[in-house]
mmCIF file of all heavy atoms in Angstrom:
data_model
loop_
_atom_site.group_PDB
_atom_site.id
_atom_site.type_symbol
_atom_site.label_atom_id
_atom_site.label_comp_id
_atom_site.label_asym_id
_atom_site.label_seq_id
_atom_site.Cartn_x
_atom_site.Cartn_y
_atom_site.Cartn_z
ATOM 1 N N ARG P 9 52.774 12.994 21.590
ATOM 2 C CA ARG P 9 53.193 12.934 22.983
ATOM 3 C C ARG P 9 53.267 14.364 23.666
ATOM 4 O O ARG P 9 53.003 14.468 24.789
ATOM 5 C CB ARG P 9 54.557 12.277 23.162
ATOM 6 C CG ARG P 9 54.578 10.808 22.660
ATOM 7 C CD ARG P 9 55.942 10.211 22.961
ATOM 8 N NE ARG P 9 57.047 10.834 22.267
ATOM 9 C CZ ARG P 9 58.062 11.455 22.921
ATOM 10 N NH1 ARG P 9 58.094 11.438 24.253
ATOM 11 N NH2 ARG P 9 59.008 12.050 22.223
ATOM 12 N N PHE P 10 53.610 15.336 22.852
ATOM 13 C CA PHE P 10 53.683 16.744 23.378
ATOM 14 C C PHE P 10 52.492 17.532 22.808
ATOM 15 O O PHE P 10 52.041 17.302 21.693
ATOM 16 C CB PHE P 10 54.984 17.409 22.841
ATOM 17 C CG PHE P 10 56.234 16.838 23.497
ATOM 18 C CD1 PHE P 10 56.269 15.662 24.253
ATOM 19 C CD2 PHE P 10 57.466 17.490 23.263
ATOM 20 C CE1 PHE P 10 57.356 15.200 24.824
ATOM 21 C CE2 PHE P 10 58.598 16.996 23.846
ATOM 22 C CZ PHE P 10 58.562 15.916 24.596
ATOM 23 N N THR P 11 52.052 18.515 23.629
ATOM 24 C CA THR P 11 50.984 19.416 23.210
ATOM 25 C C THR P 11 51.402 20.814 23.618
ATOM 26 O O THR P 11 51.688 21.126 24.759
ATOM 27 C CB THR P 11 49.671 19.060 23.901
ATOM 28 O OG1 THR P 11 49.307 17.683 23.622
ATOM 29 C CG2 THR P 11 48.574 19.986 23.420
ATOM 30 N N ILE P 12 51.433 21.709 22.624
ATOM 31 C CA ILE P 12 51.716 23.141 22.878
ATOM 32 C C ILE P 12 50.369 23.904 22.889
ATOM 33 O O ILE P 12 49.474 23.603 22.121
ATOM 34 C CB ILE P 12 52.629 23.700 21.805
ATOM 35 C CG1 ILE P 12 53.077 25.168 22.164
ATOM 36 C CG2 ILE P 12 51.996 23.717 20.448
ATOM 37 C CD1 ILE P 12 54.226 25.684 21.272
ATOM 38 N N SER P 13 50.298 24.825 23.813
ATOM 39 C CA SER P 13 49.057 25.623 23.965
ATOM 40 C C SER P 13 49.369 27.054 24.422
ATOM 41 O O SER P 13 50.545 27.325 24.858
ATOM 42 C CB SER P 13 48.135 24.995 24.970
ATOM 43 O OG SER P 13 48.669 24.903 26.245
ATOM 44 N N HIS P 14 48.480 27.933 24.266
ATOM 45 C CA HIS P 14 48.681 29.356 24.616
ATOM 46 C C HIS P 14 47.514 29.859 25.408
ATOM 47 O O HIS P 14 46.342 29.671 25.097
ATOM 48 C CB HIS P 14 48.874 30.213 23.319
ATOM 49 C CG HIS P 14 49.063 31.642 23.607
ATOM 50 N ND1 HIS P 14 48.203 32.623 23.201
ATOM 51 C CD2 HIS P 14 50.064 32.295 24.260
ATOM 52 C CE1 HIS P 14 48.677 33.808 23.559
ATOM 53 N NE2 HIS P 14 49.799 33.626 24.245
ATOM 54 N N ASP P 15 47.868 30.446 26.572
ATOM 55 C CA ASP P 15 46.805 31.128 27.400
ATOM 56 C C ASP P 15 46.894 32.629 27.251
ATOM 57 O O ASP P 15 47.855 33.228 27.727
ATOM 58 C CB ASP P 15 47.083 30.750 28.879
ATOM 59 C CG ASP P 15 45.971 31.237 29.836
ATOM 60 O OD1 ASP P 15 45.341 32.300 29.520
ATOM 61 O OD2 ASP P 15 45.719 30.571 30.793
ATOM 62 N N ASN P 16 45.972 33.162 26.476
ATOM 63 C CA ASN P 16 45.966 34.581 26.183
ATOM 64 C C ASN P 16 45.889 35.445 27.441
ATOM 65 O O ASN P 16 46.524 36.541 27.484
ATOM 66 C CB ASN P 16 44.837 34.969 25.203
ATOM 67 C CG ASN P 16 45.061 34.414 23.829
ATOM 68 O OD1 ASN P 16 46.213 34.431 23.322
ATOM 69 N ND2 ASN P 16 44.038 33.962 23.166
ATOM 70 N N ALA P 17 45.092 35.009 28.402
ATOM 71 C CA ALA P 17 44.890 35.810 29.607
ATOM 72 C C ALA P 17 46.172 35.921 30.392
ATOM 73 O O ALA P 17 46.452 36.991 31.035
ATOM 74 C CB ALA P 17 43.817 35.252 30.470
ATOM 75 N N LYS P 18 46.998 34.861 30.410
ATOM 76 C CA LYS P 18 48.228 34.842 31.191
ATOM 77 C C LYS P 18 49.478 35.186 30.375
ATOM 78 O O LYS P 18 50.532 35.208 30.899
ATOM 79 C CB LYS P 18 48.395 33.520 31.927
ATOM 80 C CG LYS P 18 47.299 33.205 32.936
ATOM 81 C CD LYS P 18 47.613 31.864 33.592
ATOM 82 C CE LYS P 18 46.541 31.589 34.672
ATOM 83 N NZ LYS P 18 46.773 30.247 35.347
ATOM 84 N N ASN P 19 49.291 35.285 29.035
ATOM 85 C CA ASN P 19 50.403 35.533 28.186
ATOM 86 C C ASN P 19 51.469 34.456 28.322
ATOM 87 O O ASN P 19 52.692 34.768 28.424
ATOM 88 C CB ASN P 19 50.985 36.923 28.324
ATOM 89 C CG ASN P 19 50.013 38.020 27.864
ATOM 90 O OD1 ASN P 19 49.371 37.925 26.848
ATOM 91 N ND2 ASN P 19 49.938 39.083 28.653
ATOM 92 N N THR P 20 51.022 33.200 28.407
ATOM 93 C CA THR P 20 51.906 32.136 28.712
ATOM 94 C C THR P 20 51.714 31.011 27.678
ATOM 95 O O THR P 20 50.568 30.723 27.338
ATOM 96 C CB THR P 20 51.725 31.593 30.110
ATOM 97 O OG1 THR P 20 51.959 32.584 31.037
ATOM 98 C CG2 THR P 20 52.635 30.443 30.390
ATOM 99 N N VAL P 21 52.734 30.417 27.273
ATOM 100 C CA VAL P 21 52.739 29.263 26.310
ATOM 101 C C VAL P 21 53.216 28.048 27.097
ATOM 102 O O VAL P 21 54.234 28.102 27.849
ATOM 103 C CB VAL P 21 53.620 29.480 25.065
ATOM 104 C CG1 VAL P 21 53.654 28.207 24.244
ATOM 105 C CG2 VAL P 21 53.036 30.620 24.205
ATOM 106 N N TYR P 22 52.483 26.956 26.986
ATOM 107 C CA TYR P 22 52.772 25.746 27.690
ATOM 108 C C TYR P 22 53.210 24.653 26.691
ATOM 109 O O TYR P 22 52.837 24.611 25.582
ATOM 110 C CB TYR P 22 51.576 25.231 28.438
ATOM 111 C CG TYR P 22 50.997 26.241 29.442
ATOM 112 C CD1 TYR P 22 49.948 27.082 29.105
ATOM 113 C CD2 TYR P 22 51.591 26.389 30.703
ATOM 114 C CE1 TYR P 22 49.461 28.038 29.971
ATOM 115 C CE2 TYR P 22 51.080 27.381 31.612
ATOM 116 C CZ TYR P 22 50.000 28.118 31.252
ATOM 117 O OH TYR P 22 49.544 29.046 32.126
ATOM 118 N N LEU P 23 54.003 23.685 27.255
ATOM 119 C CA LEU P 23 54.311 22.493 26.536
ATOM 120 C C LEU P 23 54.119 21.374 27.463
ATOM 121 O O LEU P 23 54.846 21.077 28.380
ATOM 122 C CB LEU P 23 55.790 22.502 26.097
ATOM 123 C CG LEU P 23 56.202 21.338 25.182
ATOM 124 C CD1 LEU P 23 55.517 21.347 23.895
ATOM 125 C CD2 LEU P 23 57.727 21.268 24.982
ATOM 126 N N GLN P 24 52.968 20.642 27.194
ATOM 127 C CA GLN P 24 52.647 19.464 27.954
ATOM 128 C C GLN P 24 53.342 18.270 27.381
ATOM 129 O O GLN P 24 53.146 17.954 26.208
ATOM 130 C CB GLN P 24 51.154 19.234 27.998
ATOM 131 C CG GLN P 24 50.683 17.944 28.732
ATOM 132 C CD GLN P 24 50.887 18.053 30.175
ATOM 133 O OE1 GLN P 24 50.646 19.054 30.785
ATOM 134 N NE2 GLN P 24 51.433 16.947 30.771
ATOM 135 N N MET P 25 54.180 17.594 28.135
ATOM 136 C CA MET P 25 54.990 16.486 27.598
ATOM 137 C C MET P 25 54.577 15.224 28.379
ATOM 138 O O MET P 25 54.714 15.120 29.547
ATOM 139 C CB MET P 25 56.437 16.786 27.835
ATOM 140 C CG MET P 25 56.939 18.069 27.246
ATOM 141 S SD MET P 25 58.791 18.346 27.408
ATOM 142 C CE MET P 25 58.884 18.481 29.182
ATOM 143 N N ASP P 26 53.998 14.294 27.604
ATOM 144 C CA ASP P 26 53.608 13.017 28.168
ATOM 145 C C ASP P 26 54.370 11.879 27.528
ATOM 146 O O ASP P 26 55.000 12.025 26.502
ATOM 147 C CB ASP P 26 52.075 12.836 27.834
ATOM 148 C CG ASP P 26 51.228 13.864 28.487
ATOM 149 O OD1 ASP P 26 51.457 14.215 29.649
ATOM 150 O OD2 ASP P 26 50.198 14.284 27.855
ATOM 151 N N ASN P 27 54.359 10.715 28.241
ATOM 152 C CA ASN P 27 55.106 9.568 27.743
ATOM 153 C C ASN P 27 56.540 9.952 27.401
ATOM 154 O O ASN P 27 57.007 9.535 26.335
ATOM 155 C CB ASN P 27 54.378 8.973 26.552
ATOM 156 C CG ASN P 27 52.977 8.493 26.846
ATOM 157 O OD1 ASN P 27 52.764 7.870 27.941
ATOM 158 N ND2 ASN P 27 52.035 8.815 25.971
ATOM 159 N N LEU P 28 57.161 10.641 28.288
ATOM 160 C CA LEU P 28 58.540 11.029 28.106
ATOM 161 C C LEU P 28 59.524 9.917 27.865
ATOM 162 O O LEU P 28 59.420 8.846 28.516
ATOM 163 C CB LEU P 28 59.001 11.921 29.217
ATOM 164 C CG LEU P 28 58.447 13.346 29.212
ATOM 165 C CD1 LEU P 28 58.611 14.042 30.532
ATOM 166 C CD2 LEU P 28 59.143 14.171 28.133
ATOM 167 N N GLU P 29 60.434 10.059 26.995
ATOM 168 C CA GLU P 29 61.443 9.130 26.693
ATOM 169 C C GLU P 29 62.824 9.723 27.020
ATOM 170 O O GLU P 29 63.016 10.867 27.134
ATOM 171 C CB GLU P 29 61.364 8.706 25.213
ATOM 172 C CG GLU P 29 60.035 8.172 24.808
ATOM 173 C CD GLU P 29 59.952 8.034 23.273
ATOM 174 O OE1 GLU P 29 60.847 8.413 22.563
ATOM 175 O OE2 GLU P 29 58.889 7.456 22.838
ATOM 176 N N ARG P 30 63.799 8.846 27.207
ATOM 177 C CA ARG P 30 65.189 9.266 27.488
ATOM 178 C C ARG P 30 65.713 10.191 26.405
ATOM 179 O O ARG P 30 66.503 11.093 26.763
ATOM 180 C CB ARG P 30 66.103 8.088 27.728
ATOM 181 C CG ARG P 30 65.725 7.202 28.957
ATOM 182 C CD ARG P 30 66.677 6.031 29.043
ATOM 183 N NE ARG P 30 66.309 5.188 30.165
ATOM 184 C CZ ARG P 30 65.425 4.253 30.152
ATOM 185 N NH1 ARG P 30 64.815 3.985 29.009
ATOM 186 N NH2 ARG P 30 65.209 3.533 31.254
ATOM 187 N N GLU P 31 65.275 9.953 25.174
ATOM 188 C CA GLU P 31 65.736 10.786 24.081
ATOM 189 C C GLU P 31 65.210 12.212 24.161
ATOM 190 O O GLU P 31 65.693 13.085 23.408
ATOM 191 C CB GLU P 31 65.337 10.154 22.764
ATOM 192 C CG GLU P 31 66.112 8.858 22.396
ATOM 193 C CD GLU P 31 65.595 7.639 23.203
ATOM 194 O OE1 GLU P 31 64.510 7.750 23.819
ATOM 195 O OE2 GLU P 31 66.256 6.597 23.192
ATOM 196 N N ASP P 32 64.175 12.455 25.006
ATOM 197 C CA ASP P 32 63.673 13.801 25.216
ATOM 198 C C ASP P 32 64.465 14.679 26.095
ATOM 199 O O ASP P 32 64.231 15.839 26.257
ATOM 200 C CB ASP P 32 62.232 13.703 25.771
ATOM 201 C CG ASP P 32 61.255 13.042 24.846
ATOM 202 O OD1 ASP P 32 61.363 13.245 23.622
ATOM 203 O OD2 ASP P 32 60.420 12.284 25.309
ATOM 204 N N SER P 33 65.474 14.109 26.793
ATOM 205 C CA SER P 33 66.311 14.836 27.680
ATOM 206 C C SER P 33 67.031 15.970 26.945
ATOM 207 O O SER P 33 67.706 15.677 25.904
ATOM 208 C CB SER P 33 67.356 13.961 28.381
ATOM 209 O OG SER P 33 66.691 13.053 29.211
ATOM 210 N N ALA P 34 66.903 17.189 27.386
ATOM 211 C CA ALA P 34 67.449 18.316 26.700
ATOM 212 C C ALA P 34 67.260 19.606 27.541
ATOM 213 O O ALA P 34 66.420 19.600 28.482
ATOM 214 C CB ALA P 34 66.884 18.498 25.321
ATOM 215 N N MET P 35 67.946 20.666 27.093
ATOM 216 C CA MET P 35 67.605 21.976 27.578
ATOM 217 C C MET P 35 66.461 22.520 26.696
ATOM 218 O O MET P 35 66.695 22.632 25.470
ATOM 219 C CB MET P 35 68.777 22.930 27.518
ATOM 220 C CG MET P 35 68.498 24.346 27.984
ATOM 221 S SD MET P 35 68.126 24.484 29.747
ATOM 222 C CE MET P 35 69.773 24.167 30.457
ATOM 223 N N TYR P 36 65.348 22.908 27.265
ATOM 224 C CA TYR P 36 64.238 23.307 26.481
ATOM 225 C C TYR P 36 64.117 24.891 26.599
ATOM 226 O O TYR P 36 64.082 25.389 27.692
ATOM 227 C CB TYR P 36 62.960 22.685 27.003
ATOM 228 C CG TYR P 36 62.755 21.274 26.506
ATOM 229 C CD1 TYR P 36 63.489 20.246 27.042
ATOM 230 C CD2 TYR P 36 61.806 20.959 25.492
ATOM 231 C CE1 TYR P 36 63.352 18.950 26.660
ATOM 232 C CE2 TYR P 36 61.645 19.651 25.078
ATOM 233 C CZ TYR P 36 62.448 18.660 25.677
ATOM 234 O OH TYR P 36 62.272 17.352 25.249
ATOM 235 N N SER P 37 64.047 25.546 25.438
ATOM 236 C CA SER P 37 63.937 26.953 25.419
ATOM 237 C C SER P 37 62.679 27.380 24.610
ATOM 238 O O SER P 37 62.417 26.716 23.634
ATOM 239 C CB SER P 37 65.176 27.591 24.851
ATOM 240 O OG SER P 37 66.355 27.260 25.558
ATOM 241 N N CYS P 38 62.105 28.465 24.963
ATOM 242 C CA CYS P 38 61.071 29.001 24.161
ATOM 243 C C CYS P 38 61.504 30.271 23.384
ATOM 244 O O CYS P 38 62.494 30.907 23.806
ATOM 245 C CB CYS P 38 59.774 29.366 24.973
ATOM 246 S SG CYS P 38 59.996 30.604 26.190
ATOM 247 N N ALA P 39 60.907 30.523 22.261
ATOM 248 C CA ALA P 39 61.272 31.638 21.425
ATOM 249 C C ALA P 39 59.990 32.300 20.865
ATOM 250 O O ALA P 39 58.995 31.606 20.604
ATOM 251 C CB ALA P 39 62.159 31.190 20.276
ATOM 252 N N ALA P 40 60.083 33.600 20.729
ATOM 253 C CA ALA P 40 58.918 34.365 20.223
ATOM 254 C C ALA P 40 59.339 35.106 18.931
ATOM 255 O O ALA P 40 60.460 35.544 18.808
ATOM 256 C CB ALA P 40 58.364 35.328 21.257
ATOM 257 N N GLY P 41 58.390 35.190 18.046
ATOM 258 C CA GLY P 41 58.643 35.895 16.769
ATOM 259 C C GLY P 41 57.436 36.089 15.984
ATOM 260 O O GLY P 41 56.307 36.188 16.477
ATOM 261 N N THR P 42 57.591 36.053 14.647
ATOM 262 C CA THR P 42 56.476 36.309 13.762
ATOM 263 C C THR P 42 56.417 35.242 12.726
ATOM 264 O O THR P 42 57.422 34.719 12.259
ATOM 265 C CB THR P 42 56.619 37.610 13.033
ATOM 266 O OG1 THR P 42 57.844 37.748 12.357
ATOM 267 C CG2 THR P 42 56.565 38.845 14.067
ATOM 268 N N ALA P 43 55.215 34.887 12.311
ATOM 269 C CA ALA P 43 54.959 33.759 11.394
ATOM 270 C C ALA P 43 55.216 34.213 9.945
ATOM 271 O O ALA P 43 54.742 35.323 9.531
ATOM 272 C CB ALA P 43 53.556 33.220 11.573
ATOM 273 N N THR P 44 55.864 33.408 9.189
ATOM 274 C CA THR P 44 56.054 33.591 7.744
ATOM 275 C C THR P 44 55.170 32.742 6.960
ATOM 276 O O THR P 44 54.834 32.975 5.826
ATOM 277 C CB THR P 44 57.512 33.371 7.333
ATOM 278 O OG1 THR P 44 57.859 32.030 7.649
ATOM 279 C CG2 THR P 44 58.425 34.295 8.085
ATOM 280 N N THR P 45 54.701 31.619 7.550
ATOM 281 C CA THR P 45 53.777 30.634 6.920
ATOM 282 C C THR P 45 52.785 30.242 7.988
ATOM 283 O O THR P 45 53.156 29.989 9.119
ATOM 284 C CB THR P 45 54.548 29.423 6.430
ATOM 285 O OG1 THR P 45 55.489 29.807 5.505
ATOM 286 C CG2 THR P 45 53.599 28.475 5.737
ATOM 287 N N VAL P 46 51.581 30.156 7.589
ATOM 288 C CA VAL P 46 50.422 29.826 8.503
ATOM 289 C C VAL P 46 49.892 28.396 8.251
ATOM 290 O O VAL P 46 49.594 27.687 9.177
ATOM 291 C CB VAL P 46 49.295 30.841 8.384
ATOM 292 C CG1 VAL P 46 48.119 30.392 9.259
ATOM 293 C CG2 VAL P 46 49.799 32.191 8.758
ATOM 294 N N TYR P 47 49.783 28.018 6.959
ATOM 295 C CA TYR P 47 49.271 26.722 6.612
ATOM 296 C C TYR P 47 50.264 25.885 5.893
ATOM 297 O O TYR P 47 51.032 26.428 5.108
ATOM 298 C CB TYR P 47 47.991 26.908 5.706
ATOM 299 C CG TYR P 47 47.363 25.584 5.324
ATOM 300 C CD1 TYR P 47 46.445 25.012 6.183
ATOM 301 C CD2 TYR P 47 47.697 24.980 4.091
ATOM 302 C CE1 TYR P 47 45.839 23.823 5.825
ATOM 303 C CE2 TYR P 47 47.139 23.729 3.758
ATOM 304 C CZ TYR P 47 46.148 23.204 4.591
ATOM 305 O OH TYR P 47 45.616 21.991 4.270
ATOM 306 N N PRO P 48 50.363 24.634 6.225
ATOM 307 C CA PRO P 48 49.461 23.824 7.161
ATOM 308 C C PRO P 48 49.781 24.013 8.610
ATOM 309 O O PRO P 48 48.957 23.630 9.417
ATOM 310 C CB PRO P 48 49.837 22.403 6.734
ATOM 311 C CG PRO P 48 51.222 22.380 6.236
ATOM 312 C CD PRO P 48 51.384 23.784 5.577
ATOM 313 N N GLY P 49 50.890 24.628 8.963
ATOM 314 C CA GLY P 49 51.252 24.932 10.316
ATOM 315 C C GLY P 49 52.224 26.106 10.328
ATOM 316 O O GLY P 49 52.742 26.444 9.290
ATOM 317 N N PRO P 50 52.308 26.718 11.514
ATOM 318 C CA PRO P 50 53.104 27.953 11.550
ATOM 319 C C PRO P 50 54.629 27.711 11.415
ATOM 320 O O PRO P 50 55.179 26.880 12.111
ATOM 321 C CB PRO P 50 52.808 28.597 12.968
ATOM 322 C CG PRO P 50 52.387 27.357 13.756
ATOM 323 C CD PRO P 50 51.694 26.432 12.817
ATOM 324 N N ILE P 51 55.207 28.447 10.539
ATOM 325 C CA ILE P 51 56.660 28.506 10.385
ATOM 326 C C ILE P 51 57.073 29.965 10.648
ATOM 327 O O ILE P 51 56.537 30.858 10.047
ATOM 328 C CB ILE P 51 57.135 28.019 9.007
ATOM 329 C CG1 ILE P 51 56.712 26.598 8.773
ATOM 330 C CG2 ILE P 51 58.627 28.152 8.805
ATOM 331 C CD1 ILE P 51 56.988 26.077 7.345
#
């Protein structure tokens, strides 16, 4: 339902949220850091 993406030119990260549910209600915050694990996904 959600898709995260990064626009290098704009230095912006997006979160496309589709088919939203009531349980999705929240304060959403973004955070930046460094990866400790790359595969199978970034941690």
Side-chain angles (χ1 to χ4, degrees):
R9 299 186 299 116
F10 291 9
T11 303
I12 188 171
S13 61
H14 180 242
D15 187 328
N16 289 321
K18 297 182 178 180
N19 292 318
T20 299
V21 173
Y22 303 97
L23 185 66
Q24 178 67 43
M25 305 184 295
D26 297 320
N27 299 315
L28 283 163
E29 304 170 352
R30 295 179 181 85
E31 292 76 13
D32 296 320
S33 296
M35 178 68 72
Y36 284 74
S37 302
C38 63
T42 56
T44 60
T45 302
V46 176
Y47 182 85
I51 300 176

